[in-house]
Amino acid sequence: MSSILNIINNPAPDDTFNRKKLAKQSLIEFCATTVFIYFGTLSAISTGTKLGDGTGIGQDVARIMPIAFTFGITIMCLAYSIGHITGGHMNPGVSFLMFLHRQISFTKMIFYWMAQFSGSIVASALVWGSTSNLGEVSYGGGSNSDGASLMYPNTPFLLGSTTLNDKISVGNGFLLETMGSFFFYFVISQTALDERGIAKSKFPAIPIGFSLVVVHICLIPFTGCGVNPARTFGPAVMTCMVASANGVAGDCEAAIGDFWWIYYVGPLMAALLVVEVSSLMHWDVEGIATMVSSAEQQGDMDAGNKMLNYDAAKHEDDFDDEEEGVVLECDHHQQQQQMSRKKVNKNEEEVLLYAANAEDCDVGHRGAVIGNSSASPSY
């Protein structure tokens, strides 16, 4: 239920708006998945040829260990190589896990799935191209034109396909694949996503790689160890294609069988279980997260109040400054008016003084004229 609620309550990340980036990441996932499955399944063929004396029978420690470490070290190296670009999934089950954790959107998960399943087919085609001549080598079981016995005359060791041990039931195989996937995905979830652990460091790929080694050591004798739908899909499809082209149906039936679904349902079921367990592990039983959230909200409210008070004080200061500016401007205008009035008064005084002087000059002139007139003789 937690996974479903997580999908409902948390929106998917907007990681598909840049189509060029999505295409680049999908192409990188395709290439990485191709490399991973090529070397992993090739180790199953090489160890069967060299360590099993060509029979492929008796999966002893000498054969299991190289296969397990090949898968584990390859996934670790590739995670370091592309993890910072695509997340380093190379596994549809891991992509489904990231979707449930709301790390990627549904659309991106579908693009990754197409890249991963396509890469697995290409990887198996490359494995067949690299080992097809082994069909001419004597193995045991079947025969070629020379009468030499062959185990798989068309696809050596079924190209590393995952097959169920005939001594255990399909239910046993389903439980094994589910538990192996659960352990592998749980390590991924807690080391690559949980920031309280080593997710922020540069080392999540190391425990992820070694967890895959452990799972392979335990599951190879029983199911061949899938824990990755793409790892099962490519070899099975390519084996059936080659067998069909050569008219041999036995290889396809051996690679698929009635147990095929455990390699797909098991990992997806494990991803759901990992999300449920992770939610339980992150359950805040002490209310610390609530207290922190409340403190953060209170801090945000205090910060908001301080900001409001600051803005109010700033506006008040601005208003005071504007009011003071208006007052100063008014005083300046009043001073200019007073100066203008003084200048006008001064000009008026100068005009009046000039007029008085002019009048005095006229009076003096008239007096002089009168005096001159009385002093001069009359003829």
Side-chain angles (χ1 to χ4, degrees):
M1 285 299 295
S2 299
S3 56
I4 298 175
L5 293 175
N6 191 38
I7 294 174
I8 295 174
N9 296 330
N10 298 320
D14 187 12
D15 51 11
T16 59
F17 69 95
N18 189 338
R19 294 307 174 93
K20 291 183 179 180
K21 183 178 179 181
L22 178 60
K24 182 189 77 171
Q25 292 175 332
S26 300
L27 180 60
I28 294 173
E29 276 289 315
F30 167 82
C31 295
T33 306
T34 300
V35 173
F36 171 64
I37 295 177
Y38 174 80
F39 285 104
T41 54
L42 186 62
S43 68
I45 299 175
S46 64
T47 55
T49 301
K50 298 299 181 181
L51 301 178
D53 295 328
T55 63
I57 301 173
Q59 297 175 343
D60 54 7
V61 175
R63 187 180 180 202
I64 293 173
M65 294 300 287
I67 298 174
F69 274 93
T70 299
F71 275 99
I73 294 175
T74 303
I75 198 71
M76 181 173 62
C77 293
L78 290 172
Y80 275 123
S81 301
I82 68 166
H84 59 288
I85 302 175
T86 69
H89 297 184
M90 296 167 282
N91 185 334
V94 174
S95 297
F96 184 58
L97 175 69
M98 295 303 165
F99 167 70
L100 295 177
H101 276 301
R102 307 308 277 164
Q103 297 296 311
I104 62 174
S105 64
F106 179 78
T107 302
K108 190 171 186 177
M109 181 186 71
I110 296 300
F111 271 81
Y112 274 19
W113 278 7
M114 292 188 295
Q116 292 155 358
F117 283 117
S118 300
S120 68
I121 295 176
V122 173
S124 297
L126 292 173
V127 170
W128 178 74
S130 302
T131 61
S132 59
N133 196 50
L134 292 176
E136 302 298 328
V137 180
S138 175
Y139 293 137
S143 63
N144 62 5
S145 58
D146 298 330
S149 59
L150 299 173
M151 184 173 183
Y152 301 113
N154 298 286
T155 53
F157 300 100
L158 298 179
L159 301 179
S161 297
T162 52
T163 58
L164 186 66
N165 191 321
D166 57 5
K167 295 181 180 180
I168 64 174
S169 67
V170 176
N172 297 147
F174 173 71
L175 184 58
L176 286 166
E177 282 293 317
T178 302
M179 291 303 298
S181 300
F182 175 84
F183 174 62
F184 181 46
Y185 297 167
F186 179 76
V187 173
I188 293 174
S189 178
Q190 296 305 311
T191 58
L193 297 181
D194 193 347
E195 296 185 353
R196 297 174 300 177
I198 65 172
K200 292 184 178 180
S201 69
K202 302 296 183 181
F203 305 106
I206 295 177
I208 291 172
F210 276 102
S211 66
L212 192 60
V213 171
V214 172
V215 173
H216 272 78
I217 292 174
C218 295
L219 265 62
I220 285 177
F222 303 111
T223 65
C225 190
V227 301
N228 183 341
R231 180 259 180 275
T232 297
F233 182 77
V237 170
M238 198 64 205
T239 297
C240 289
M241 290 175 64
V242 175
S244 176
N246 290 283
V248 180
D251 288 2
C252 185
E253 293 176 357
I256 297 179
D258 59 355
F259 51 79
W260 64 270
W261 59 272
I262 69 174
Y263 300 102
Y264 302 93
V265 179
L268 298 182
M269 182 68 69
L272 286 169
L273 293 175
V274 167
V275 174
E276 297 296 330
V277 174
S278 297
S279 300
L280 181 63
M281 292 176 63
H282 296 166
W283 181 27
D284 186 19
V285 294
E286 297 179 354
I288 296 176
T290 304
M291 295 172 60
V292 172
S293 177
S294 300
E296 290 178 350
Q297 292 178 359
Q298 184 64 35
D300 293 339
M301 292 178 61
D302 294 340
N305 292 333
K306 290 180 180 179
M307 184 61 68
L308 290 174
N309 294 333
Y310 173 76
D311 291 339
K314 184 177 180 181
H315 286 305
E316 185 175 356
D317 292 339
D318 293 339
F319 180 76
D320 292 339
D321 292 339
E322 291 177 359
E323 184 177 4
E324 184 178 355
V326 171
V327 172
L328 291 175
E329 188 174 358
C330 291
D331 293 341
H332 180 66
H333 284 304
Q334 289 178 358
Q335 290 177 0
Q336 287 184 341
Q337 290 177 357
Q338 290 177 0
M339 291 177 64
S340 298
R341 288 174 183 173
K342 288 180 180 180
K343 187 173 182 180
V344 171
N345 293 334
K346 185 177 180 180
N347 291 336
E348 289 179 352
E349 290 177 357
E350 290 179 352
V351 170
L352 293 175
L353 181 61
Y354 176 80
N357 292 333
E359 186 176 358
D360 292 340
C361 289
D362 291 339
V363 172
H365 178 68
R366 288 175 184 173
V369 170
I370 293 173
N372 290 333
S373 299
S374 58
S376 61
S378 56
Y379 295 100

